[in-house]
Amino acid sequence: MTYPPLLIPPYGGKLVDLLVPAEAREDLKAHASALPSLQVSDRVVCDLELLAVGGFSPLDRFMGQADYQRVLDEMRLTSGHIFPIPVTLPVDPSPAIRLDADIALRNAKNELLAVMTIEEIYPWDLAEVAQKVFGTQDLRHPLVAEMHRWGKLNISGRLQVLQVPRHYDFRELRLTPAQTRARLAQMGRRNVVAFQTRNPLHRVHEELTKRATEEVDGVLLLHPVVGMTKPGDVDHYTRVRTYMALAGRYYAPDRILLALLPLAMRLAGPREALWHAVIRRNYGANHLIVGRDHAGPGKDSTGKPFYGPYDAQELVARYSDELGVKMIPFRQLVYLPDEDRYEDITKVPPNVRTADISGTEVREMYLNNGRKLPEWFTRPEVAEILSESYPPRHKQGVCIWFTGLSGAGKSTTAEVLTHLLLQHGRQVTVLDGDVVRTHLSKGLGFSKEDRDINIRRIGFVAAEIVRHGGTVVCAAVSPYRATRNDVRAMVGSDHFVEVYVNTPLEVCEQRDYKGMYAKARRGEITGFTGIDDPYEPPENPEIELDTVHHTPEENAQIIINYLIDRGLIRPTERLAMGDGLLTPR
């Protein structure tokens, strides 16, 4: 394949293409029908799509052991090419996983995507990946928590891709690297500035992208991620609608290309920013705007950001010449109301009036309160879309997750809390551990693996309820810290309230009306949390309750007060009877 001479060539010189030619597909499908199948995760599906179309060039498979290890240690493939993120296919051991065997890769809907010939099987170390790629083993990092449920082996080998995932939304914007390059070449400019985003665009982003493209006489590749982003982010349907409104009305049509990137983000901060630069080169960009705390996952369990604000910019700049993609820093622009324009904050003279709204203020002062954003901050079309799609905070979903030993008082407090939430106008779903095991997780035992499956099932249901604006109260022992943090990531930290019911073991045993602790002490049952299986208490829960010195009613009110302070429920007026009338007091 030849590439337009104007644009920077793909990384490695050519785009990888793993799609099976049309004339060979039927034979391969027939072959695949007799093969053992591996149902892969949504993350693997995203990775497979970008491998297939060349988005990860020069990588042409899920990484083998040599590539994987060098990526961890040096951010390079064995070929020497820069590649900072491991792209692997983790699996659990099974008879189907054996060398030189073919295996059919299928998605969650059991649709056949590809056939892999297994050429390598090797173990991987979670702690090593967490420390080297993410710089932390803190379970508040969404990917560190998620990796605890990945298979313990990685497999690699030749891929024959029959189809990429079917996308029914925004199909005209879902451009492959080859299609993107062809569109960019038609615009006739050598320089392409890519803008990575997983958030709605406001005026400051618009100003920044326009200035960046003008400075290099280039074209803007507005390239939002529509695969897997940070849990709790604005959904991509809403975001893409805002991008379309902006691109169609406020940019010169020959200076912008809007295309969607089906990337599963790792939220790996600096390493991820460099990975984004590699990917954008494959799509034809030779410049990348890198923001403050680019691809950061937020704060760790101590409340501190995982990465420094400029770490990503520094890393991309360090490899810029070798990679051929120039780093453009996201400069902080502020609005000058007296002049009705934006200016770089470093160029604003003293005593000049400025206006700015932080991302936190956008959510908490405006969207969460149902207020439209001011026109100087965001275009009215964007404000309208966000107001339609982003309900006030008290109408957003929330998960209250009780964790603690058996007999700690989780279910009792949850029952009181449920009535108070209903009193405050919230419709509530209760997912109690015992009830869930009867209906949702019947047949599961009490091994660590089965317990994790049970908690993740509860978490999946809870996340769906929250996504649709509901309130869900979950009460389950959930003894393992990694699994609870994985559920937090599913739900989204802004909508997850972890309530640690901190009741001493001896008190729980005294309350044990089922006699389970006594049986565990006698050895009649094994693997019982608190006796011969550990309980890992939360490191920094949103709320910690004492059920020895406080009643369930008092503890439930503590949670209610917290939810009111967070804006997740509205306070009700206290009413008293007076002269036959209801009088607020």
Side-chain angles (χ1 to χ4, degrees), residues 368-517:
N368 286 347
N369 290 316
R371 295 171 57 197
K372 277 194 177 181
L373 291 158
E375 288 195 26
W376 65 263
F377 180 77
T378 199
R379 296 292 187 181
E381 295 89 345
V382 173
E384 184 67 28
I385 291 170
L386 290 178
S387 66
E388 290 172 355
S389 304
Y390 204 105
R393 181 72 163 159
H394 69 274
K395 292 185 178 180
Q396 295 174 25
V398 61
C399 171
I400 299 101
W401 187 279
F402 288 87
T403 178
L405 293 169
S406 178
K410 300 182 299 298
S411 297
T412 305
T413 308
E415 182 180 3
V416 178
L417 176 66
T418 299
H419 289 284
L420 295 183
L421 287 168
L422 290 166
Q423 176 182 318
H424 281 262
R426 277 285 197 170
Q427 296 301 309
V428 185
T429 299
V430 179
L431 298 176
D432 182 84
D434 290 338
V435 176
V436 166
R437 277 195 170 271
T438 300
H439 298 285
L440 186 63
S441 297
K442 190 172 184 178
L444 288 180
F446 289 89
S447 66
K448 184 180 187 305
E449 180 181 289
D450 280 2
R451 292 181 190 190
D452 281 346
I453 292 171
N454 179 52
I455 295 306
R456 288 192 176 105
R457 286 182 183 177
I458 298 174
F460 172 78
V461 175
E464 287 298 296
I465 291 169
V466 169
R467 188 166 66 88
H468 291 285
T471 302
V472 57
V473 175
C474 303
V477 173
S478 45
Y480 308 122
R481 199 175 290 131
T483 313
R484 291 195 305 268
N485 279 285
D486 196 15
V487 171
R488 177 187 290 272
M490 285 187 221
V491 173
S493 282
D494 287 347
H495 302 272
F496 187 84
V497 180
E498 188 174 38
V499 179
Y500 175 32
V501 186
N502 187 4
T503 306
L505 176 60
E506 58 271 19
V507 175
C508 293
E509 291 196 67
Q510 291 168 11
R511 297 174 178 174
D512 183 23
Y513 68 90
K514 299 178 186 176
M516 301 298 287
Y517 282 103

Side-chain angles (χ1 to χ4, degrees), residues 44-61:
V44 170
V45 170
C46 288
D47 289 347
L48 180 63
E49 179 171 2
L50 285 174
L51 282 168
V53 299
F56 290 160
S57 298
L59 189 65
D60 66 352
R61 62 190 60 203

Side-chain angles (χ1 to χ4, degrees), residues 241-448:
R241 288 168 59 208
T242 68
Y243 306 142
M244 293 174 70
L246 286 173
R249 293 180 176 90
Y250 297 105
Y251 287 83
D254 62 341
R255 287 293 187 111
I256 186 170
L257 175 65
L258 171 60
L260 308 185
L261 180 66
L263 178 69
M265 292 184 67
R266 270 56 170 185
L267 303 171
R271 278 193 180 227
E272 176 124 0
L274 185 57
W275 192 40
H276 289 171
V278 171
I279 294 166
R280 274 22 183 261
R281 171 167 172 171
N282 288 324
Y283 278 84
N286 59 344
H287 296 74
L288 174 67
I289 298 173
V290 180
R292 295 176 76 253
D293 193 25
H294 188 105
K299 296 180 179 179
D300 63 18
S301 58
T302 67
K304 297 178 181 178
F306 279 97
Y307 310 113
Y310 303 107
D311 291 355
Q313 294 180 357
E314 292 169 1
L315 187 65
V316 177
R318 191 185 313 160
Y319 289 92
S320 179
D321 289 343
E322 179 183 351
L323 185 58
V325 178
K326 183 178 179 181
M327 192 278 296
I328 300 177
F330 192 118
R331 300 187 297 271
Q332 186 178 355
L333 304 180
V334 293
Y335 180 66
L336 307 182
D338 297 331
E339 302 177 38
D340 189 26
R341 68 183 181 90
Y342 279 85
E343 183 55 271
D344 188 323
I345 194 170
T346 62
K347 298 179 180 179
V348 177
N351 303 320
V352 171
R353 261 196 335 136
T354 64
D356 191 20
I357 303 176
S358 71
T360 300
E361 289 170 339
V362 167
R363 292 188 301 272
E364 295 183 358
M365 292 177 58
Y366 289 90
L367 298 179
N368 286 347
N369 290 316
R371 295 171 57 197
K372 277 194 177 181
L373 291 158
E375 288 195 26
W376 65 263
F377 180 77
T378 199
R379 296 292 187 181
E381 295 89 345
V382 173
E384 184 67 28
I385 291 170
L386 290 178
S387 66
E388 290 172 355
S389 304
Y390 204 105
R393 181 72 163 159
H394 69 274
K395 292 185 178 180
Q396 295 174 25
V398 61
C399 171
I400 299 101
W401 187 279
F402 288 87
T403 178
L405 293 169
S406 178
K410 300 182 299 298
S411 297
T412 305
T413 308
E415 182 180 3
V416 178
L417 176 66
T418 299
H419 289 284
L420 295 183
L421 287 168
L422 290 166
Q423 176 182 318
H424 281 262
R426 277 285 197 170
Q427 296 301 309
V428 185
T429 299
V430 179
L431 298 176
D432 182 84
D434 290 338
V435 176
V436 166
R437 277 195 170 271
T438 300
H439 298 285
L440 186 63
S441 297
K442 190 172 184 178
L444 288 180
F446 289 89
S447 66
K448 184 180 187 305

